[in-house]
Amino acid sequence: MAAHGSVSSRLSQSLTEEDIPGASLQGRNPTALKTDELRFWLKCRGDPAKGLKTKAQLSKRVLEYVASGHDKDVVDPDKNLIYTRRKARQEQLAQSDVMPEESTVKFPSAGWSTSLQRMPLFTRAEMDLHISKSGKNFDRNKQNHAVPTSMKKAKRFLDDEYLKDLTCASDDQYFYFKCLCYHSFKKNEPAHKLQVALCLVSGVVKYASCTCVAGSVGFCNHVLAVMMKLCKFSLYCCQDIKDLENESDMTQAKACTSSLQLWHKPVRGDKIKPQPVMELEVKKSNIDTEYNPDSGVRCLLYEARKNLGTQASDEALLKNKLQEINPKFALSQIMSTGGTNLQETKFGKCPSGSCKLPVTVHRV
Protein backbone atom coordinates (compact mmCIF):
# COMPACT_ATOMS: atom_id res chain seq x y z
CA MET A 1 0.00 0.00 0.00
CA ALA A 2 2.86 2.37 0.79
CA ALA A 3 4.52 1.71 -2.56
CA HIS A 4 1.26 2.30 -4.38
CA GLY A 5 0.74 5.57 -2.51
CA SER A 6 4.26 6.80 -3.35
CA VAL A 7 3.79 6.01 -7.04
CA SER A 8 0.45 7.80 -7.05
CA SER A 9 1.96 10.85 -5.37
CA ARG A 10 4.80 11.02 -7.91
CA LEU A 11 2.39 10.75 -10.79
CA SER A 12 0.07 13.34 -9.24
CA GLN A 13 2.96 15.80 -8.92
CA SER A 14 3.78 15.35 -12.61
CA LEU A 15 0.30 16.42 -13.71
CA THR A 16 -0.10 19.74 -15.49
CA GLU A 17 -3.06 21.94 -16.28
CA GLU A 18 -3.25 20.49 -19.78
CA ASP A 19 -3.77 16.99 -18.37
CA ILE A 20 -7.03 17.91 -16.62
CA PRO A 21 -9.80 19.64 -18.59
CA GLY A 22 -11.05 22.60 -16.59
CA ALA A 23 -7.92 22.91 -14.43
CA SER A 24 -6.62 25.96 -16.30
CA LEU A 25 -7.97 29.50 -16.27
CA GLN A 26 -6.78 29.88 -19.88
CA GLY A 27 -6.32 33.62 -19.46
CA ARG A 28 -9.80 34.19 -18.09
CA ASN A 29 -10.76 36.25 -15.07
CA PRO A 30 -11.90 34.02 -12.17
CA THR A 31 -15.01 36.18 -11.78
CA ALA A 32 -16.12 35.07 -15.26
CA LEU A 33 -16.24 31.41 -14.22
CA LYS A 34 -19.13 29.60 -12.63
CA THR A 35 -19.16 28.46 -9.02
CA ASP A 36 -18.75 24.79 -9.98
CA GLU A 37 -15.79 25.64 -12.22
CA LEU A 38 -14.10 27.60 -9.43
CA ARG A 39 -14.56 24.74 -6.98
CA PHE A 40 -13.14 22.27 -9.49
CA TRP A 41 -10.15 24.57 -10.13
CA LEU A 42 -9.41 24.72 -6.41
CA LYS A 43 -9.87 20.96 -6.09
CA CYS A 44 -7.17 20.49 -8.73
CA ARG A 45 -4.84 22.34 -6.31
CA GLY A 46 -5.79 20.12 -3.38
CA ASP A 47 -8.02 22.77 -1.82
CA PRO A 48 -11.45 21.43 -0.70
CA ALA A 49 -12.76 25.03 -0.48
CA LYS A 50 -14.43 24.41 2.86
CA GLY A 51 -16.31 27.38 4.23
CA LEU A 52 -16.36 29.15 0.86
CA LYS A 53 -20.02 29.54 0.00
CA THR A 54 -20.15 32.51 -2.35
CA LYS A 55 -18.62 33.10 -5.76
CA ALA A 56 -16.74 36.13 -4.44
CA GLN A 57 -14.99 34.03 -1.80
CA LEU A 58 -14.04 31.37 -4.35
CA SER A 59 -12.71 33.97 -6.79
CA LYS A 60 -10.64 35.57 -4.04
CA ARG A 61 -9.10 32.20 -3.13
CA VAL A 62 -8.22 31.54 -6.80
CA LEU A 63 -6.53 34.94 -7.09
CA GLU A 64 -4.52 34.17 -3.95
CA TYR A 65 -3.20 30.99 -5.58
CA VAL A 66 -2.27 32.92 -8.72
CA ALA A 67 -0.53 35.69 -6.75
CA SER A 68 1.50 33.22 -4.67
CA GLY A 69 2.53 31.17 -7.72
CA HIS A 70 0.94 27.94 -6.43
CA ASP A 71 -1.56 27.81 -9.28
CA LYS A 72 0.83 25.53 -11.20
CA ASP A 73 0.88 22.91 -8.43
CA VAL A 74 -1.73 20.54 -9.85
CA VAL A 75 -2.91 17.35 -8.15
CA ASP A 76 -5.40 14.71 -9.23
CA PRO A 77 -8.87 15.87 -8.08
CA ASP A 78 -10.46 12.44 -8.52
CA LYS A 79 -10.43 9.94 -5.65
CA ASN A 80 -9.81 7.11 -8.12
CA LEU A 81 -6.89 8.98 -9.77
CA ILE A 82 -8.41 8.73 -13.23
CA TYR A 83 -6.34 11.62 -14.60
CA THR A 84 -3.14 10.11 -13.21
CA ARG A 85 -3.93 6.72 -14.70
CA ARG A 86 -4.81 8.35 -17.99
CA LYS A 87 -1.50 10.20 -18.24
CA ALA A 88 0.45 7.10 -17.26
CA ARG A 89 -1.34 5.14 -19.96
CA GLN A 90 -0.64 7.82 -22.56
CA GLU A 91 3.06 7.86 -21.65
CA GLN A 92 3.19 4.08 -21.88
CA LEU A 93 1.52 4.13 -25.29
CA ALA A 94 3.91 6.82 -26.51
CA GLN A 95 6.90 4.71 -25.49
CA SER A 96 5.55 1.51 -27.02
CA ASP A 97 4.54 3.28 -30.26
CA VAL A 98 1.59 0.98 -30.94
CA MET A 99 -0.99 3.63 -31.77
CA PRO A 100 -3.14 2.46 -34.71
CA GLU A 101 -3.42 4.49 -37.83
CA GLU A 102 -6.50 6.65 -38.26
CA SER A 103 -9.17 5.12 -40.45
CA THR A 104 -12.85 5.57 -41.15
CA VAL A 105 -15.00 4.12 -38.39
CA LYS A 106 -17.31 1.45 -39.74
CA PHE A 107 -19.62 -0.28 -37.30
CA PRO A 108 -19.82 -4.07 -37.75
CA SER A 109 -23.06 -5.70 -38.76
CA ALA A 110 -22.53 -8.85 -36.68
CA GLY A 111 -20.67 -10.01 -33.60
CA TRP A 112 -22.51 -7.85 -31.08
CA SER A 113 -22.55 -9.13 -27.50
CA THR A 114 -22.35 -7.97 -23.88
CA SER A 115 -18.70 -8.92 -23.26
CA LEU A 116 -16.40 -6.09 -22.10
CA GLN A 117 -13.14 -8.05 -21.95
CA ARG A 118 -11.51 -5.97 -24.71
CA MET A 119 -12.95 -2.63 -23.63
CA PRO A 120 -10.24 0.04 -23.14
CA LEU A 121 -10.08 2.16 -20.01
CA PHE A 122 -12.64 4.94 -20.41
CA THR A 123 -12.78 7.62 -17.71
CA ARG A 124 -14.16 11.09 -17.16
CA ALA A 125 -10.96 12.47 -18.67
CA GLU A 126 -11.76 10.99 -22.10
CA MET A 127 -15.31 12.18 -21.68
CA ASP A 128 -14.22 15.74 -20.89
CA LEU A 129 -11.88 15.68 -23.87
CA HIS A 130 -14.78 14.74 -26.11
CA ILE A 131 -16.97 17.51 -24.64
CA SER A 132 -14.23 20.09 -25.14
CA LYS A 133 -14.49 19.54 -28.90
CA SER A 134 -18.18 20.45 -28.94
CA GLY A 135 -17.70 24.21 -28.57
CA LYS A 136 -20.42 24.52 -25.95
CA ASN A 137 -20.58 27.76 -23.94
CA PHE A 138 -18.45 29.41 -26.63
CA ASP A 139 -17.76 33.10 -26.07
CA ARG A 140 -16.33 35.06 -28.99
CA ASN A 141 -14.93 37.72 -26.66
CA LYS A 142 -12.56 35.19 -25.07
CA GLN A 143 -9.71 33.29 -26.63
CA ASN A 144 -10.84 29.98 -25.19
CA HIS A 145 -14.20 28.49 -24.36
CA ALA A 146 -15.23 27.05 -21.03
CA VAL A 147 -15.71 23.30 -20.95
CA PRO A 148 -19.13 22.59 -19.43
CA THR A 149 -18.74 20.79 -16.12
CA SER A 150 -22.42 20.29 -15.32
CA MET A 151 -24.10 17.33 -17.00
CA LYS A 152 -27.24 17.13 -14.93
CA LYS A 153 -29.47 16.43 -17.90
CA ALA A 154 -27.28 13.58 -19.12
CA LYS A 155 -27.24 12.12 -15.63
CA ARG A 156 -31.02 12.34 -15.53
CA PHE A 157 -31.24 10.30 -18.73
CA LEU A 158 -29.05 7.70 -17.04
CA ASP A 159 -30.88 7.68 -13.71
CA ASP A 160 -34.36 7.62 -15.26
CA GLU A 161 -33.61 4.31 -17.04
CA TYR A 162 -33.90 5.70 -20.56
CA LEU A 163 -30.99 3.59 -21.91
CA LYS A 164 -32.03 0.19 -23.26
CA ASP A 165 -30.47 -2.73 -25.17
CA LEU A 166 -26.82 -1.76 -24.67
CA THR A 167 -24.49 -4.05 -26.67
CA CYS A 168 -20.86 -3.90 -27.77
CA ALA A 169 -18.45 -5.25 -30.39
CA SER A 170 -14.80 -4.77 -31.37
CA ASP A 171 -12.28 -5.19 -34.16
CA ASP A 172 -8.55 -4.57 -34.53
CA GLN A 173 -8.79 -0.80 -33.97
CA TYR A 174 -12.02 0.20 -32.25
CA PHE A 175 -14.42 -0.87 -29.55
CA TYR A 176 -18.05 -0.17 -30.47
CA PHE A 177 -21.18 0.45 -28.43
CA LYS A 178 -24.76 0.86 -29.52
CA CYS A 179 -28.00 1.22 -27.60
CA LEU A 180 -31.45 2.77 -27.63
CA CYS A 181 -32.46 5.82 -25.64
CA TYR A 182 -36.13 6.51 -24.95
CA HIS A 183 -36.65 10.21 -24.35
CA SER A 184 -39.97 9.50 -22.61
CA PHE A 185 -42.01 6.58 -21.28
CA LYS A 186 -44.47 6.70 -24.18
CA LYS A 187 -44.59 3.40 -26.06
CA ASN A 188 -45.60 4.92 -29.39
CA GLU A 189 -42.56 7.21 -29.69
CA PRO A 190 -39.53 5.71 -31.47
CA ALA A 191 -36.31 5.48 -29.49
CA HIS A 192 -33.10 7.30 -30.42
CA LYS A 193 -30.34 5.08 -31.80
CA LEU A 194 -26.92 5.80 -30.31
CA GLN A 195 -23.48 4.69 -31.51
CA VAL A 196 -20.10 5.25 -29.85
CA ALA A 197 -16.68 4.06 -31.05
CA LEU A 198 -13.61 4.10 -28.78
CA CYS A 199 -9.98 3.68 -29.74
CA LEU A 200 -9.01 0.19 -28.67
CA VAL A 201 -5.61 1.38 -27.38
CA SER A 202 -6.09 4.87 -25.93
CA GLY A 203 -9.82 4.83 -25.14
CA VAL A 204 -10.38 8.17 -26.91
CA VAL A 205 -13.79 8.72 -28.48
CA LYS A 206 -13.35 8.41 -32.23
CA TYR A 207 -16.98 8.54 -33.28
CA ALA A 208 -20.32 9.23 -31.63
CA SER A 209 -23.76 9.82 -33.09
CA CYS A 210 -27.42 9.89 -32.18
CA THR A 211 -30.57 9.99 -34.29
CA CYS A 212 -31.99 12.94 -32.35
CA VAL A 213 -32.03 16.45 -33.82
CA ALA A 214 -28.82 17.54 -32.08
CA GLY A 215 -27.01 14.20 -32.10
CA SER A 216 -25.62 14.00 -35.62
CA VAL A 217 -22.22 15.29 -34.40
CA GLY A 218 -22.24 13.17 -31.23
CA PHE A 219 -22.44 15.89 -28.57
CA CYS A 220 -26.06 15.52 -27.42
CA ASN A 221 -27.09 14.64 -23.88
CA HIS A 222 -28.09 11.12 -24.93
CA VAL A 223 -24.52 10.35 -26.02
CA LEU A 224 -23.17 11.84 -22.80
CA ALA A 225 -25.47 9.56 -20.81
CA VAL A 226 -24.01 6.53 -22.62
CA MET A 227 -20.48 7.75 -21.90
CA MET A 228 -21.31 8.10 -18.23
CA LYS A 229 -22.39 4.46 -18.29
CA LEU A 230 -19.10 3.48 -19.95
CA CYS A 231 -17.24 5.28 -17.16
CA LYS A 232 -19.03 3.07 -14.65
CA PHE A 233 -17.94 -0.03 -16.55
CA SER A 234 -14.30 1.04 -16.28
CA LEU A 235 -14.64 2.17 -12.68
CA TYR A 236 -16.00 -1.20 -11.52
CA CYS A 237 -13.75 -3.23 -13.87
CA CYS A 238 -16.75 -4.96 -15.40
CA GLN A 239 -16.20 -7.92 -17.71
CA ASP A 240 -19.77 -7.94 -18.98
CA ILE A 241 -22.54 -5.41 -19.40
CA LYS A 242 -24.77 -7.62 -17.25
CA ASP A 243 -22.50 -7.07 -14.25
CA LEU A 244 -24.38 -3.84 -13.56
CA GLU A 245 -27.80 -4.97 -14.73
CA ASN A 246 -29.16 -4.71 -11.17
CA GLU A 247 -28.29 -1.02 -11.06
CA SER A 248 -31.18 1.43 -11.02
CA ASP A 249 -30.11 2.91 -14.37
CA MET A 250 -30.26 -0.52 -16.06
CA THR A 251 -33.31 -2.20 -14.52
CA GLN A 252 -36.60 -0.39 -14.53
CA ALA A 253 -38.53 -0.60 -11.28
CA LYS A 254 -41.81 -2.48 -11.65
CA ALA A 255 -44.87 -0.31 -11.17
CA CYS A 256 -47.43 -1.29 -8.56
CA THR A 257 -50.06 -1.72 -11.29
CA SER A 258 -47.84 -4.30 -13.01
CA SER A 259 -47.62 -6.53 -9.94
CA LEU A 260 -50.09 -9.19 -8.78
CA GLN A 261 -52.58 -8.36 -6.07
CA LEU A 262 -51.29 -8.77 -2.51
CA TRP A 263 -54.56 -8.90 -0.61
CA HIS A 264 -53.98 -12.47 0.55
CA LYS A 265 -50.55 -11.67 1.99
CA PRO A 266 -50.20 -10.34 5.53
CA VAL A 267 -49.28 -6.72 5.74
CA ARG A 268 -47.88 -4.58 8.48
CA GLY A 269 -51.33 -3.51 9.63
CA ASP A 270 -52.23 -7.09 10.58
CA LYS A 271 -49.44 -7.14 13.14
CA ILE A 272 -50.54 -3.96 14.89
CA LYS A 273 -52.73 -4.62 17.93
CA PRO A 274 -54.99 -2.02 19.54
CA GLN A 275 -53.64 -0.43 22.69
CA PRO A 276 -55.10 2.01 25.19
CA VAL A 277 -54.17 5.57 24.42
CA MET A 278 -52.86 5.91 27.97
CA GLU A 279 -50.10 3.39 27.23
CA LEU A 280 -48.91 4.99 23.99
CA GLU A 281 -45.94 7.31 23.67
CA VAL A 282 -45.06 9.15 20.45
CA LYS A 283 -41.33 9.74 19.78
CA LYS A 284 -39.20 10.90 16.89
CA SER A 285 -37.49 8.34 14.66
CA ASN A 286 -33.88 7.29 15.17
CA ILE A 287 -32.82 8.92 11.89
CA ASP A 288 -34.05 12.32 13.04
CA THR A 289 -31.27 14.75 13.88
CA GLU A 290 -33.04 15.85 17.07
CA TYR A 291 -33.74 12.31 18.30
CA ASN A 292 -33.82 11.95 22.09
CA PRO A 293 -34.80 8.56 23.54
CA ASP A 294 -36.00 10.17 26.78
CA SER A 295 -38.37 12.62 25.13
CA GLY A 296 -41.84 11.83 23.87
CA VAL A 297 -45.50 12.83 23.93
CA ARG A 298 -47.92 10.99 26.20
CA CYS A 299 -51.60 11.33 26.99
CA LEU A 300 -52.18 13.64 29.96
CA LEU A 301 -55.74 12.50 30.75
CA TYR A 302 -56.48 11.13 34.22
CA GLU A 303 -56.14 7.35 34.33
CA ALA A 304 -58.95 6.13 36.56
CA ARG A 305 -58.23 2.46 35.96
CA LYS A 306 -55.00 2.60 37.94
CA ASN A 307 -56.92 3.29 41.21
CA LEU A 308 -59.05 0.12 41.19
CA GLY A 309 -57.35 -1.12 44.35
CA THR A 310 -58.89 1.63 46.51
CA GLN A 311 -62.28 1.67 44.79
CA ALA A 312 -64.03 -0.51 47.42
CA SER A 313 -62.91 1.64 50.35
CA ASP A 314 -63.84 4.84 48.54
CA GLU A 315 -67.27 3.39 47.72
CA ALA A 316 -67.90 2.45 51.37
CA LEU A 317 -66.87 5.92 52.50
CA LEU A 318 -69.27 7.49 49.99
CA LYS A 319 -72.15 5.30 51.18
CA ASN A 320 -71.59 6.25 54.81
CA LYS A 321 -71.67 9.94 53.96
CA LEU A 322 -74.87 9.51 51.94
CA GLN A 323 -76.58 7.62 54.77
CA GLU A 324 -75.66 10.37 57.20
CA ILE A 325 -77.36 12.87 54.94
CA ASN A 326 -80.44 10.77 54.17
CA PRO A 327 -80.69 7.05 54.94
CA LYS A 328 -83.31 6.65 52.21
CA PHE A 329 -80.98 7.60 49.37
CA ALA A 330 -81.24 4.87 46.74
CA LEU A 331 -77.52 4.92 46.06
CA SER A 332 -76.78 4.25 49.71
CA GLN A 333 -78.91 1.08 49.61
CA ILE A 334 -76.86 -0.52 46.82
CA MET A 335 -74.49 -3.20 47.98
CA SER A 336 -70.98 -3.62 46.70
CA THR A 337 -70.72 -4.92 43.13
CA GLY A 338 -68.18 -7.43 44.34
CA GLY A 339 -70.86 -9.50 46.05
CA THR A 340 -71.64 -12.98 44.81
CA ASN A 341 -75.33 -13.12 45.89
CA LEU A 342 -77.08 -12.27 42.62
CA GLN A 343 -80.84 -12.22 42.19
CA GLU A 344 -82.70 -12.85 38.94
CA THR A 345 -84.72 -9.83 37.84
CA LYS A 346 -86.52 -8.79 34.69
CA PHE A 347 -83.48 -6.68 33.86
CA GLY A 348 -81.07 -9.55 34.40
CA LYS A 349 -79.07 -10.68 37.43
CA CYS A 350 -78.43 -7.96 40.00
CA PRO A 351 -76.71 -7.97 43.41
CA SER A 352 -78.93 -8.59 46.37
CA GLY A 353 -79.99 -5.35 48.03
CA SER A 354 -80.16 -3.27 44.87
CA CYS A 355 -82.68 -0.50 45.04
CA LYS A 356 -85.99 -0.94 43.30
CA LEU A 357 -86.82 2.20 41.42
CA PRO A 358 -90.23 2.65 39.84
CA VAL A 359 -90.09 2.44 36.09
CA THR A 360 -92.72 4.34 34.16
CA VAL A 361 -93.35 3.63 30.50
CA HIS A 362 -94.85 6.44 28.51
CA ARG A 363 -96.71 5.48 25.40
CA VAL A 364 -96.77 7.91 22.52
Side-chain angles (χ1 to χ4, degrees):
M1 295 296 292
H4 176 72
S6 61
V7 173
S8 300
S9 61
R10 289 197 302 269
L11 290 175
S12 298
Q13 293 175 0
S14 63
L15 291 175
T16 61
E17 293 180 341
E18 290 73 17
D19 298 328
I20 306 176
S24 175
L25 293 177
Q26 298 178 343
R28 296 170 294 176
N29 192 333
T31 57
L33 300 180
K34 299 179 181 179
T35 303
D36 294 339
E37 294 175 333
L38 293 173
R39 290 187 179 276
F40 183 76
W41 191 95
L42 292 174
K43 192 175 182 180
C44 293
R45 274 72 187 172
D47 191 341
K50 290 185 178 180
L52 305 181
K53 299 181 180 180
T54 62
K55 182 178 178 180
Q57 294 175 341
L58 294 171
S59 301
K60 182 179 179 181
R61 180 68 62 85
V62 172
L63 292 175
E64 291 176 356
Y65 273 92
V66 175
S68 61
H70 293 292
D71 57 321
K72 303 301 180 182
D73 300 336
V74 181
V75 298
D76 198 327
D78 188 79
K79 62 180 181 179
N80 297 309
L81 301 177
I82 59 173
Y83 299 100
T84 302
R85 294 163 57 188
R86 174 175 176 263
K87 184 173 183 179
R89 187 175 72 254
Q90 290 178 346
E91 293 177 352
Q92 183 179 2
L93 293 175
Q95 294 176 1
S96 59
D97 195 17
V98 294
M99 292 294 294
E101 297 181 358
E102 294 291 336
S103 62
T104 304
V105 177
K106 184 178 180 180
F107 282 77
S109 58
W112 293 90
S113 65
T114 59
S115 177
L116 300 174
Q117 295 182 359
R118 299 191 64 193
M119 177 183 173
L121 182 64
F122 186 82
T123 63
R124 177 65 186 272
E126 283 77 19
M127 188 174 177
D128 290 345
L129 180 62
H130 176 72
I131 297 174
S132 63
K133 301 176 183 178
S134 64
K136 291 185 178 181
N137 296 342
F138 185 80
D139 191 352
R140 296 181 179 180
N141 298 326
K142 296 182 175 61
Q143 296 180 356
N144 299 285
H145 65 274
V147 178
T149 58
S150 177
M151 294 180 291
K152 296 181 180 180
K153 195 168 184 179
K155 188 176 184 299
R156 185 166 67 248
F157 279 116
L158 184 65
D159 295 340
D160 291 349
E161 307 154 4
Y162 286 156
L163 300 179
K164 305 293 182 182
D165 302 334
L166 181 62
T167 55
C168 58
S170 63
D171 55 17
D172 296 337
Q173 294 184 352
Y174 303 108
F175 197 88
Y176 308 96
F177 286 95
K178 69 176 182 178
C179 72
L180 301 178
C181 182
Y182 293 86
H183 46 91
S184 68
F185 289 106
K186 296 181 180 179
K187 300 297 183 181
N188 57 347
E189 292 185 358
H192 298 315
K193 298 180 181 179
L194 285 72
Q195 292 181 334
V196 177
L198 307 179
C199 178
L200 197 60
V201 179
S202 63
V204 178
V205 179
K206 294 298 182 181
Y207 178 82
S209 67
C210 178
T211 56
C212 69
V213 177
S216 59
V217 293
F219 296 112
C220 63
N221 294 317
H222 309 108
V223 173
L224 298 184
V226 177
M227 292 183 181
M228 293 180 69
K229 189 65 182 180
L230 303 186
C231 291
K232 294 182 66 175
F233 289 148
S234 296
L235 180 62
Y236 293 104
C237 300
C238 298
Q239 299 297 320
D240 196 281
I241 294 177
K242 297 180 180 179
D243 292 346
L244 298 180
E245 64 179 359
N246 294 328
E247 294 287 327
S248 59
D249 53 14
M250 292 285 288
T251 304
Q252 183 177 359
K254 183 180 292 186
C256 60
T257 54
S258 301
S259 304
L260 297 176
Q261 58 86 13
L262 302 176
W263 300 330
H264 63 286
K265 294 186 178 181
V267 294
R268 178 177 176 270
D270 298 338
K271 301 179 182 179
I272 299 177
K273 298 181 180 180
Q275 290 180 300
V277 68
M278 300 297 184
E279 300 178 2
L280 296 179
E281 183 177 2
V282 181
K283 295 183 178 181
K284 292 185 177 181
S285 60
N286 295 339
I287 60 177
D288 200 305
T289 56
E290 300 179 357
Y291 172 72
N292 186 3
D294 299 330
S295 64
V297 179
R298 298 181 180 179
C299 182
L300 301 179
L301 296 177
Y302 174 71
E303 178 58 276
R305 297 176 301 170
K306 294 183 179 180
N307 300 325
L308 296 179
T310 60
Q311 184 175 1
S313 59
D314 294 340
E315 183 180 346
L317 181 61
L318 177 61
K319 290 180 181 179
N320 294 333
K321 291 184 178 181
L322 291 176
Q323 288 179 355
E324 292 177 359
I325 298 174
N326 188 352
K328 296 183 179 181
F329 272 160
L331 188 59
S332 63
Q333 304 297 327
I334 300 177
M335 296 182 62
S336 175
T337 56
T340 57
N341 187 13
L342 301 179
Q343 301 292 333
E344 187 70 28
T345 65
K346 63 173 60 177
F347 302 104
K349 293 184 178 181
C350 296
S352 177
S354 298
C355 65
K356 299 179 181 179
L357 299 177
V359 179
T360 304
V361 178
H362 298 276
R363 295 182 179 179
V364 180

